[in-house]
Every structure is written in structure tokens, then in C-alpha cells.
Amino acid sequence: MSYGNVHRFLLRSVASRGVISMPDALRALTQFTGNQFNIFTDGEVESIQDLIKEINDTIRPYQQTIKLTNDELTNEEVLIFLSLGYDDATKAQNVFSANELEFFRLLIEQIMITESRQVTRIHAINIVGGMKSSFTKTDAEKLLKTWCRMKYLDKDNNNYALGVRAIHEFEGYLRQNMPDAVEECCLCKQVVFRGYNCPGCAMAVHTRCLNRYLEKVEKWPCCKADYSADQIEQMNDR
Ligand SMILES: [Zn+2]
Ligand SMILES: [Zn+2]
């Protein structure tokens, strides 16, 4: 399909929300066009994957991309709007100003060095005390709210964790700057933020990947140590 209204509609839908679930995206497309859409091309049915590819070819020069992936937290298939190029100062930064980026990076660091991978609201706001740029606590509070809405952060009670969008957008930054804090899943090799560490060899694994593996073999996938549901319960209690 040549680039047109349908592409622009999908791009706008994903970009304005930051993250959209696959079923919601397919429903919105079907409503907008009156045609049936599916993930893959299937006879008469049009493919959302082809659309995404065509959109990405167009927005690549602006350092943007739509990524089709699995949300580690909700286990749902999602489309994420990503602004890339934060590691290169000469590239356009569409979402963060320099001050905001400094705050966000410090916040990521704080989140990554805690074992639970989350920080309290007070902890997050106090970060401004250590910043080079002049930034007030009120600014910080406003940004935390905005970033939750944009899916850069995930708020759970009074704690902030990295949202699905930040996990994918800042993956390169994290691997480069905090290699010790970044663990790879022993099955899919993607970064693990919330998963399990094997009690036998301590390697990390996504909850989703582990569950899929356990359907076939009742062992830890990394070192083949015996698996039991009690181990998971104990880890969840910690
Ligand atoms: Zn995995
Ligand atoms: Zn192991």
C-alpha cells in the first residue's frame, strides 16, 4: 500500500499514546478503514506488519520507529512508539529537553540499582538535588506524571518502575552505561527487568519465557536445575 491516510492514522494512534495493544490497534484500523486487518497478510485481509514496515521506512530519518513486541509486564502484544538517538547529542531529541533527559537518566540509574527495580515518589523527586541543571521539585513532580501517561514510567502504589516504552527506548543506553545492572534472559536474550533468577546458577529469565519452557520440561532452562513452584513462591515473598 502506498503511504497515505491509513499510515498516518496508525502512526498518530501509536505516537499519541506511546503504547497501544495489538487488539486495540487492529480494531482502530478496521474502524477507520472499514477493512479487516490482521497481524500477517492472509488472503484478502490486510497486514498491520506491512503497514508498520512502511511507516518505519518513512519515519526512520526522524529517529523514530514503531516496535512490535511483547510487554514484559502485561504479557500482551503491543506496538510501541520509540524515539531513538538519545545517545548522540547531535541527533534530534523529540520528547525530552536536555534538562529532562538528565533527570530521566538519573532516575533510571536509581531504579536500576535497587533490587526491586522501583523507587518511591520521594526518592524520585529528591534526585533533583543532585542535578547539574536547575530543576525544581515541582518540575520533577509534573514530569513524573507526564512520563507515566507516556508509558515511560509505571506507577504502582507509591513506586515508580520503568515503563515498557523506556525499557525499549533506553535499552542501548542501559547496556552501555550500566552493564552490571542489565541482565539478559537466558532464553530469548532480551533484557530482563522483572523476571526470575535461577536458584541454581543465578541466570535471569523472563516470567513469560520460563512459563513457556516449563510446559515442556520441569527444569530451569539455564543449568537444568530441578524446578519447583515453591522456589517461585519463595522468590515472590522476598
Ligand atoms: Zn526471555
Ligand atoms: Zn540455572
Side-chain angles (χ1 to χ4, degrees):
M1 205 193 303
S2 63
Y3 201 86
N5 277 340
V6 182
H7 298 81
R8 279 189 283 271
F9 170 77
L10 181 61
L11 175 58
R12 213 162 45 229
S13 306
V14 185
S16 64
R17 272 171 266 204
V19 181
I20 183 170
S21 77
M22 181 56 94
D24 283 352
L26 291 172
R27 212 172 300 128
L29 274 175
T30 301
Q31 222 162 40
F32 182 76
T33 59
N35 299 329
Q36 206 60 39
F37 274 85
N38 211 330
I39 300 180
F40 306 103
T41 316
D42 178 17
E44 296 290 288
V45 180
E46 296 186 76
S47 144
I48 194 170
Q49 272 198 335
D50 291 348
L51 270 184
I52 293 171
K53 197 188 159 296
E54 286 153 4
I55 293 171
N56 283 342
D57 287 344
T58 307
I59 62 179
R60 191 165 299 121
Y62 307 102
Q63 307 288 337
Q64 297 170 335
T65 191
I66 294 177
K67 187 169 177 180
L68 191 61
T69 185
N70 222 293
D71 185 337
E72 193 188 330
L73 309 178
T74 62
N75 210 3
E76 212 180 25
E77 199 159 7
V78 289
L79 282 65
I80 313 178
F81 181 75
L82 302 179
S83 303
L84 305 169
Y86 290 116
D87 299 335
D88 186 339
T90 60
K91 286 178 188 162
Q93 286 167 6
N94 303 296
V95 182
F96 295 88
S97 70
N99 286 357
E100 291 170 356
L101 192 59
E102 187 195 354
F103 179 49
F104 196 71
R105 283 180 171 164
L106 290 170
L107 180 61
I108 291 183
E109 268 172 41
Q110 293 300 310
I111 290 174
M112 293 300 289
I113 57 176
T114 61
E115 203 185 338
S116 59
R117 294 287 153 85
Q118 50 184 11
V119 296
T120 63
R121 190 181 130 267
I122 303 289
H123 187 148
I125 289 169
N126 281 338
I127 289 173
V128 301
M131 281 178 59
K132 288 190 216 91
S133 21
S134 59
F135 216 65
T136 67
K137 292 191 174 181
T138 318
D139 293 335
E141 199 132 20
K142 254 187 238 160
L143 273 176
L144 290 174
K145 270 201 196 115
T146 308
W147 288 339
C148 281
R149 205 180 55 234
M150 295 170 78
K151 308 287 196 313
Y152 278 107
L153 294 175
D154 223 33
K155 192 166 185 231
D156 183 14
N157 294 321
N158 222 1
N159 294 312
Y160 290 97
L162 289 188
V164 61
R165 197 171 171 188
I167 289 172
H168 289 275
E169 212 161 281
F170 287 84
E171 185 181 331
Y173 174 80
L174 289 168
R175 280 182 191 267
Q176 206 172 359
N177 294 281
M178 315 190 69
D180 295 341
V182 176
E183 292 181 292
E184 264 176 30
C185 171
C186 70
L187 290 173
C188 73
K189 307 296 173 209
Q190 303 231 28
V191 178
V192 180
F193 285 87
R194 293 190 213 168
Y196 294 107
N197 286 95
C198 166
C201 71
M203 276 193 76
V205 61
H206 288 121
T207 312
R208 159 177 50 98
C209 294
L210 178 63
N211 286 339
R212 218 176 271 166
Y213 183 85
L214 289 173
E215 285 170 15
K216 290 173 278 174
V217 200
E218 283 268 299
K219 291 194 182 297
W220 286 90
C222 31
C223 61
K224 311 287 182 265
D226 284 332
Y227 168 88
S228 81
D230 297 347
Q231 296 167 324
I232 295 287
E233 243 164 70
Q234 275 167 17
M235 284 188 243
N236 286 336
D237 286 344
R238 271 197 313 214

